[in-house]
Each structure stands twice: as structure tokens, then as C-alpha cells.
Amino acid sequence: MQIPYATYPVGNSLYPLALDLFVPTVFFFFLGASYRVFRYLVTYQKPFIPYPSSELRQVSSWNKIANLVNTFANSSRVGIKRKPVTTGVGLLFHIALVLIIFLLAQHMVFWAYYIPPYSALFPLAIPESSEDGLLALTTPNHASITEFVHDIWGPLTVILNGQFLTFFLIIFLGIYLGHKLLLAIEGLSLRAGDWWFFVLLYIDILLGFFATAHIPSNVYWYDNLLGAHILVAEIIIATLPFTRGFHMFEFYLGKVREWYFMVYRRGEK
Amino acid sequence: MSVTMGQESINLDALKRAIDDVFYSQIDSTILYYLQSCVNCKACEAACPFTPTSLKYSPVNKAEIARQLYRSRFTVWGKTIGRIIGGSKKYLNLEEAETMADYVWHCTNCGACMFVCPMAIDSGALIDLLRQVAFRAGMAPKIYTDIEQLEVSGKYWDIPVFRDAWNNLILKMKEVIGKDIPLDKKNSEVLFYASIYEAMVYPDVLVKVAKILDMLGKDWTFMSKPLGIRPPVGLVIGDKEGALNVMKKVYAYFTEMSPKYVMLTAGGFEYPALRYTMHEVLKVQPKYEVVHVTELLAKWYEAKEFEIEPIDEVITWHDPCQLGRRGGVFEAPRVLMKALSKNFKELPSHGVNSFCCSRGGGGCGLPSMVENMAKVIGIPISEKDKKFLDSTLEPLIKAGKIKVNEINKIKASEVLTGCPVCIESIGFSIDYYHANAKVNHIIELLADRIKVTKK
Ligand code: SF4
Ligand code: SF4
């Protein structure tokens, strides 16, 4: 089936269209990110420091560095103590998501295509399934591909495989969205941005899963599902600067800022 | 439950003006980050002393009103789709205004949410913006504004109860030391600073501090007149301008006295306010340093000017939010606590995660204490004020339970701290839950256990 897209010859699936839109997506992302950063720059005011130094507040450099780790870990530590279920789910969800985005073998091939040095991470690749450890495309498999996904995880692939991590994500992101629904019922704060990012992410995970698991099992659907998976990911990436998703970058900014003012400069403010 | 306001009715026009003024003038990159970077993960719930009362008092839920107002003015989505789907609001209707007024008095600006938030968002700072809106719109409880206005106008010194409390304090200091105490002496090493509030709630602590300074042979001075009821109390109720006027007077006095240290016994909001905010707002770099009494005592103890005779009991330190998280004083009290007892134990939540007692800024002390203060200074308490004050009791009881459980867990016989409001509220909780502990200012225990080694 030929898919019409203006006068552009798309081919016979969403897949080539999705690939062609990757570069414009990145462009839009940088445009949005620049806008977000620009707003910070124009509203920046140099803080006034009343005490340039405090003889009473000498904290060793070692202590300051150690506290940097603490600054990043504190949220999870307190969360595990006081809100163990939601914190645990949140942490596991993040770990699974990061592993799957950056180390799933298929994703690595994609990233390495656009950023060639990324291939240095190939030894860490996570296979699609624990059963064969192969890029679950079609047979016959190329020998080098087999080697590529068989490198260091060994027996851990029982857990560290695309399918397992995807189930994990589907369940935990489902719990998260269900939780949001409960909050909406209770009348607590919810924003459109929360839904936009997380619902798109959920859809994307499902699309990726259906594509790689070959459901339904034919090449026509495979190409379209994979294309749709990439397209939704592109929508997520292009809109990141305007959604909750941007926290993956700002998280570091916020925590380093907290550390700088609360720990590093504690003696001064 | 909605808190009844001290004022007869909410003036929506005044509220509109207040919203415009506060939001247009105060958004800098830090506030912008707080406003737009929240992921609504609700991790901050774990830190807030008000969430045990209701999840609607979670930091993110309270701050959401600030975000809605911000979006309507500063984001494209907020200006367009946001208005249709309720994600942004240019102004607030009556019900929303009441909700806001309720929320702002359910935040002590304790800062705990910032350290627990994975994005390091200070929801307390956003709720403080809303408190400023509420104050400007005349929505702050009248009993608070009446007390604050006494401080701003300087008329507090005409009130006999306050004068008597202060003069008696000076008399008592003289009596205990056995000689005149230095008053308003310029260029001394330590200016011993206190407020009327402290003179009323723990005069004994102040007298003991004077005794320690005398014992150690320090070059110190006290104040012949206090600089306010609890200056700058305007900061706590959202009156930035009033606070600014008071801070100008305080700064002028500190500068005139020109000590090396201005030493506070109170570690509540006055600590970060007088150490940091005052100088930041006035854009001045002081020649003196504002410190808490524990900071100086720890310094002198480490310089071996005195020894501390230890006790055997299990004692613990409650980090006041403003002294610790906002002010940065964690190490000094611990130097003294470890010297005071080998059985010093940390509360399960301490340091940056110290659990707030739910009073202080935005809680403004125990309701009974506010009522008593109003009575002695002749401020009438209306039905609405009474209702409002009573409504502040539930969070105190709920947060107090967590605090008492922590004290019981480590089996501490005494909780020491450095803030008058913490002492009152933890004392209330200990009584309420019949816990087997007592709470005191660290000076209470320390003063009698100091052995001077050099003068
Ligand atoms: S913890 Fe921080 S990011 Fe999460 S909801 Fe609270 S303020 Fe927002
Ligand atoms: S500053 Fe303290 S009281 Fe206010 S919202 Fe944050 S945790 Fe709660």
C-alpha cells in the first residue's frame, strides 16, 4: 500500500517516513531547547552574596564532594523510607527505561547510525529476547550481529532483555498512569503536560513491543508499527522542551544548583 | 476544610492587582525553574509536615495555583489551550481565592520539599509568592496582620507588657551576673540579639546566655530596647514591604553597634532573614556576621575555652528548618551535643531531612500562644480569627505524631533544639501524645555544664 504524504514518495510503509523525519525532529528539539534556555538567560539575576566568606563555616572539599552524591541520592533515600511503593516503582521504571532506550541492541544500531562513536558501547548491548539473544528481526542472522548481542550480560539476559524490560515498563508506566487517574478523581493537581508526555510514552512502548514481537506477524505490519514507533518517539523528542520529558536534562541542573547553593557555598549562603 | 479569613470578605479586584504585581515583578530564572520544571511526581509529599493532614496540602498541590497563574501569563500553551482545559488561570474566582488562602497557611516555608524533590524545586518559595498575593489582597488573617503592624509601626514599644518583659529580662540578667550588663555598647565582639517574643517565651534561656558570655569573659553587649516583636515578622505573613522597613531599622542598629558577631538564640525564620535576606534585599555586605549561639559556642569549645561536663542520658537534636536547611547550621550544634552526652543520638529524620514541626513561618506558632499574645497586647480576637487559629491545630497534631514517634524510636529523654517555636510545638506534641521526653533550648542544659578553662 502506498501511503500519501503530500507529493513526497513515502514508499510503502511509515518506516522510511519516520527515518526521514529524524533530522528535522532533532532540529525542532534544539529550537525548543534553545527557547527554554533563552528564557532562563533573560530572567537570570546575579545573586547578591552578603558574606564573601565565613570563618565559622569551613567545610572540607572532600565533604562538599561527598555531599554532591548525597544531593542526588537524597530524594530516593527519603522516598524509599516514606513512600516505598511509588518510589520503588518510579526508580525501577527509570532504570528500565534508560536501559531500553540506550542499550537495547536495536536502539543502539539506530543511535550509532547517527552518532557513530556510539558503537563503542556495542559490547553492552541488550538483546531483544532472553531465548536467542539475537536481534529478533528475521532469519538468517548475521554472525557478527549474534556476537554483538552476546557480549557481557551472560545469564543476566534473563532479566536484561528487551521483552522483559518492556513488560516491566508497560506494567509500571501503567501503574503510574493509573495513579494519575486516581489523583484526578481526588481533585489533586494534574496538568495536561503530564498526560501528553506519559501517554505518548506509553503508546510508544506498546508500538515498539508490538513491532519487535511481530504482533501481528507480517512484514507489512512490522514496517508500519516500527515506523509508528519511531514517529511517536520523534513527536516526544520534538516536544520535549515543552513537556515533563525535559526533566531528563533539567534534573542535573536542579540538583547541581541545589548542591552549589546549599552545600558548596553553605558558608556564604 | 476551608480556613475562614480574618477579613469580612475577599476583594477580588484587590486580588487581581496583587496577582499582577507579585507575578510580574518576581519571576527570575530560579522561580522560573521552579514554576516550569516540576514533573508532578509528588515525591515532595514525603517531606511536607502538612501532607499527613491531607494530600491536598502536598507541596506540589499547593504550589499548583502559582503555576496556573504563571502559565496564563508566561507560556504559549497557558495563554491558549491551557485556559480552555483549566491548566492556567489569569485570575482566581472566589472559591479559588479561598483555596489559595487556605493553602498558604499550610506551609511553613520549611524547605524540606526542595531537598526531597528530584528536581530540587522549592515549593515553599512558590507558596510564599501566593502568601504575598494573599497579604496584598487583604486576605491574611487579621490577628497576624495586627501583630505585624505593631512591629512595622514601631508601636510595640508603647505596650506595657512588652516593656515590662524586656526591662525585667535586663534586671534578671544583672541579678544573675551580679553586676550591670553592657547595653548598646559599640564595637564589642558579640552583640547579643533577642526579640520581644523570646523575652516572653524563654527569658531564662536569654539570662543563661548572658551568664555564659560573662563567665567566658567575652566582650559583649545586649540591647536596651528590642528591634521588634519578632523582626521581620512581615516576611512570614507575606508583607515584603513591611519586612523591608523593619529590616532597614535592624540593619541600621547592627551597623551602628558594629560588633564582630550578632548572636541569635532563635533559629527560626529570623536566622536566615537577618543573616541572609536582610543583606540580600538591602544589597549590603555587612562588617559583622550574624550567627546562632551554637555556632559561637562550638567555636569557643573547639578553641578549648571551656569544657562540657557530659550527662549519661540519651539526648537528641531537632534541626530547626530555618536554622538548618535554610540557614546552613548543622555541624555546630552537633559539636556541642556530642560533648553534652556520649548518648547523643540523631532523630531518624535529621539534617536536611529534619521533619518540620508544622509551626513557624506560615504556621505562626501555637494557636494558644498567638491568642495569649493578642490578649496581653489588647488585640481583639474575632470569631473568624478564632476559627482560623483553631484550624491550625490539626496539622500540628498530625505532624507532631510523626515527631513524637521518632523521639520514642530512639528513646531520647531530652530533645534539644535552638528555636523557640520548635520548643513550643514539640513540647505540645510530647504532652499531647504523653511521650516520655522533654524539649528544651540547648542553652538550658549547656549553661550549667560549662566549665571555663581559660579567660
Ligand atoms: S517532588 Fe518536585 S518535581 Fe515532584 S511533584 Fe514535587 S515539586 Fe514537582
Ligand atoms: S516548604 Fe515545608 S511546609 Fe511548605 S510545602 Fe515545602 S515541605 Fe511543606
Side-chain angles (χ1 to χ4, degrees):
Chain A
M1 190 182 87
Q2 190 78 21
I3 295 172
Y5 179 71
T7 53
Y8 184 75
V10 171
N12 55 6
S13 79
L14 289 176
Y15 184 58
L17 168 68
L19 288 186
D20 285 353
L21 288 180
F22 186 67
V23 172
T25 298
V26 172
F27 174 76
F28 274 109
F29 167 78
F30 276 108
L31 211 64
S34 309
Y35 170 69
R36 189 140 173 164
V37 173
F38 172 75
R39 279 160 52 101
Y40 286 129
L41 293 179
V42 292
T43 51
Y44 177 75
Q45 283 171 21
K46 199 171 182 296
F48 181 82
I49 311 291
Y51 296 99
S53 71
S54 165
E55 62 168 287
L56 296 178
R57 304 266 188 101
Q58 303 306 339
V59 180
S60 70
S61 306
W62 166 242
N63 196 303
K64 286 177 181 174
I65 305 286
N67 267 310
L68 183 59
V69 179
N70 192 36
T71 303
F72 277 91
N74 195 47
S75 179
S76 313
R77 227 184 28 209
V78 176
I80 286 287
K81 229 163 78 182
R82 297 206 191 136
K83 293 180 69 182
V85 177
T86 43
T87 309
V89 166
L91 283 174
L92 288 174
F93 170 74
H94 275 84
I95 292 170
L97 191 65
V98 168
L99 284 175
I100 220 162
I101 291 177
F102 295 106
L103 294 186
L104 184 74
Q106 284 94 329
H107 287 163
M108 291 186 90
V109 174
F110 188 87
W111 299 130
Y113 175 77
Y114 289 100
I115 314 163
Y118 201 87
S119 57
L121 295 179
F122 276 173
L124 298 174
I126 292 172
E128 167 50 32
S129 130
S130 63
E131 278 173 27
D132 51 18
L134 306 177
L135 276 171
L137 293 170
T138 48
T139 48
N141 290 289
H142 191 276
S144 67
I145 294 174
T146 309
E147 193 181 304
F148 161 40
V149 290
H150 263 171
D151 264 332
I152 74 164
W153 300 114
L156 265 182
T157 50
V158 173
I159 299 171
L160 286 172
N161 64 74
Q163 274 175 7
F164 183 89
L165 291 176
T166 306
F167 292 144
F168 211 69
L169 288 177
I170 291 172
I171 294 167
F172 284 146
L173 194 52
I175 294 175
Y176 183 83
L177 286 169
H179 184 231
K180 288 238 173 282
L181 213 61
L182 283 180
L183 296 177
I185 294 166
E186 282 182 43
L188 296 173
S189 72
L190 262 188
R191 309 142 189 169
D194 297 335
W195 292 103
W196 170 262
F197 178 72
F198 292 113
V199 171
L200 276 186
L201 192 60
Y202 202 65
I203 293 171
D204 207 29
I205 291 169
L206 285 175
L207 286 170
F209 170 68
F210 287 136
T212 47
H214 296 284
I215 305 171
S217 179
N218 66 55
V219 175
Y220 169 73
W221 272 104
Y222 175 78
D223 271 4
N224 280 310
L225 283 169
L226 189 62
H229 171 67
I230 300 171
L231 274 174
V232 173
E234 284 166 349
I235 296 172
I236 292 176
I237 294 170
T239 55
L240 265 188
F242 305 100
T243 68
R244 303 286 166 263
F246 208 64
H247 78 274
M248 67 181 78
F249 307 102
E250 284 187 335
F251 163 68
Y252 304 97
L253 172 77
K255 279 291 161 189
V256 169
R257 192 192 157 276
E258 175 196 319
W259 172 80
Y260 182 69
F261 283 109
M262 296 298 175
V263 178
Y264 186 80
R265 300 238 311 246
R266 168 148 281 155
E268 302 154 20
K269 156 102 186 172
Chain B
M1 176 193 63
S2 175
V3 171
T4 313
M5 288 298 89
Q7 309 293 36
E8 281 311 306
S9 60
I10 293 172
N11 179 338
L12 287 179
D13 284 333
L15 181 60
K16 280 182 183 176
R17 281 194 301 276
I19 288 171
D20 284 342
D21 289 353
V22 169
F23 276 87
Y24 279 117
S25 66
Q26 297 202 38
I27 294 196
D28 60 11
S29 53
T30 300
I31 295 287
L32 181 67
Y33 174 79
Y34 294 160
L35 286 165
Q36 70 174 7
S37 301
C38 169
V39 284
N40 210 2
C41 66
K42 303 199 186 284
C44 47
E45 276 174 3
C48 185
F50 293 95
T51 39
T53 308
S54 163
L55 278 183
K56 69 179 181 177
Y57 296 134
S58 78
V60 61
N61 203 57
K62 289 178 283 189
E64 180 61 12
I65 298 183
R67 293 199 167 91
Q68 288 175 337
L69 295 171
Y70 145 81
R71 278 185 221 120
S72 145
R73 287 162 175 72
F74 298 98
T75 74
V76 175
W77 300 124
K79 283 178 197 284
T80 52
I81 295 174
R83 289 210 189 145
I84 301 162
I85 58 175
S88 80
K89 294 187 166 56
K90 186 137 200 245
Y91 297 111
L92 303 177
N93 64 30
L94 193 63
E95 198 187 326
E96 290 158 349
E98 275 176 353
T99 302
M100 179 189 81
D102 181 35
Y103 285 179
V104 298
W105 299 109
H106 284 88
C107 169
T108 53
N109 206 2
C110 74
C113 46
M114 171 164 62
F115 290 86
V116 170
C117 168
M119 303 299 289
I121 289 167
D122 186 353
S123 295
L126 300 183
I127 297 159
D128 188 52
L129 284 183
L130 296 176
R131 200 156 26 222
Q132 289 175 42
V133 169
F135 179 86
R136 283 213 200 184
M139 290 159 61
K142 192 167 177 302
I143 193 160
Y144 289 174
T145 50
D146 281 355
I147 294 174
E148 191 247 356
Q149 285 307 309
L150 272 181
E151 178 172 292
V152 175
S153 65
K155 289 192 180 134
Y156 62 90
W157 195 234
D158 300 338
I159 292 176
V161 188
F162 286 167
R163 271 176 177 261
D164 291 348
W166 196 259
N167 293 333
N168 285 339
L169 174 67
I170 292 177
L171 275 179
K172 190 88 189 283
M173 282 178 179
K174 282 180 186 170
E175 204 180 292
V176 167
I177 293 169
K179 59 180 184 228
D180 269 353
I181 57 162
L183 291 173
D184 303 329
K185 185 161 78 88
K186 291 182 183 165
N187 303 314
S188 46
E189 185 185 3
V190 180
L191 164 62
F192 175 16
Y193 168 92
S195 65
I196 288 183
Y197 173 76
E198 290 174 89
M200 298 195 60
V201 298
Y202 57 34
D204 292 349
V205 168
L206 303 180
V207 172
K208 285 185 178 180
V209 171
K211 192 176 142 197
I212 294 173
L213 290 168
D214 182 64
M215 271 164 45
L216 295 176
K218 293 294 168 189
D219 172 21
W220 68 287
T221 183
F222 193 58
M223 303 144 74
S224 61
K225 266 200 307 193
L227 302 170
I229 298 174
R230 202 182 166 200
V233 76
L235 280 189
V236 178
I237 70 162
D239 181 11
K240 253 190 143 181
E241 268 169 48
L244 178 67
N245 289 336
V246 172
M247 288 190 291
K248 278 182 185 160
K249 285 183 216 160
V250 175
Y251 177 66
Y253 179 77
F254 287 178
T255 308
E256 195 194 336
M257 290 304 113
S258 200
K260 186 168 180 206
Y261 299 111
V262 173
M263 186 188 75
L264 276 58
T265 38
F269 71 86
E270 41 297 57
Y271 183 82
L274 300 185
R275 180 177 171 91
Y276 298 120
T277 318
M278 177 167 82
H279 305 109
E280 283 163 8
V281 171
L282 300 176
K283 295 235 178 317
V284 286
Q285 274 188 332
K287 298 248 165 22
Y288 53 81
E289 188 172 358
V290 177
V291 294
H292 188 252
V293 62
T294 52
E295 290 179 275
L296 277 188
L297 288 178
K299 172 182 141 91
W300 294 332
Y301 173 72
E302 286 183 324
K304 302 207 177 345
E305 293 192 28
F306 63 86
E307 284 170 0
I308 296 173
E309 198 188 332
I311 58 168
D312 294 327
E313 279 80 24
V314 177
I315 58 172
T316 190
W317 173 257
H318 162 73
D319 282 294
C321 306
Q322 306 296 327
L323 182 68
R325 264 189 301 270
R326 298 271 185 212
V329 180
F330 294 114
E331 292 82 11
R334 284 169 173 79
V335 167
L336 300 171
M337 292 296 294
K338 284 173 190 163
L340 267 169
S341 173
K342 288 224 163 42
N343 283 319
F344 161 64
K345 281 195 186 159
E346 293 282 13
L347 284 165
S349 308
H350 62 272
V352 295
N353 298 319
S354 172
F355 191 71
C356 173
C357 58
S358 95
R359 294 298 98 176
C364 291
L366 299 188
S368 53
M369 187 208 82
V370 179
E371 272 180 66
N372 287 341
M373 170 98 72
K375 265 184 208 147
V376 296
I377 57 184
I379 293 177
I381 304 165
S382 67
E383 260 311 294
K384 283 187 176 175
D385 280 344
K386 179 88 181 86
K387 244 178 151 177
F388 167 73
L389 289 174
D390 289 347
S391 76
T392 64
L393 212 57
E394 193 191 347
L396 182 65
I397 292 169
K398 293 268 169 65
K401 189 171 187 191
I402 295 175
K403 184 57 81 184
V404 167
N405 285 346
E406 291 205 345
I407 296 168
N408 288 341
K409 193 167 178 196
I410 58 164
K411 299 192 172 64
S413 63
E414 190 161 7
V415 184
L416 298 176
T417 189
C419 162
V421 173
C422 296
I423 294 169
E424 286 207 47
S425 48
I426 295 174
F428 170 90
S429 308
I430 284 175
D431 287 348
Y432 190 88
Y433 292 104
H434 308 294
N436 205 6
K438 54 187 175 179
V439 56
N440 275 315
H441 196 286
I442 187 170
I443 290 296
E444 294 268 19
L445 186 62
L446 197 60
D448 301 329
R449 314 205 77 79
I450 285 181
K451 300 280 167 272
V452 181
T453 49
K454 72 176 184 196
K455 274 211 177 186

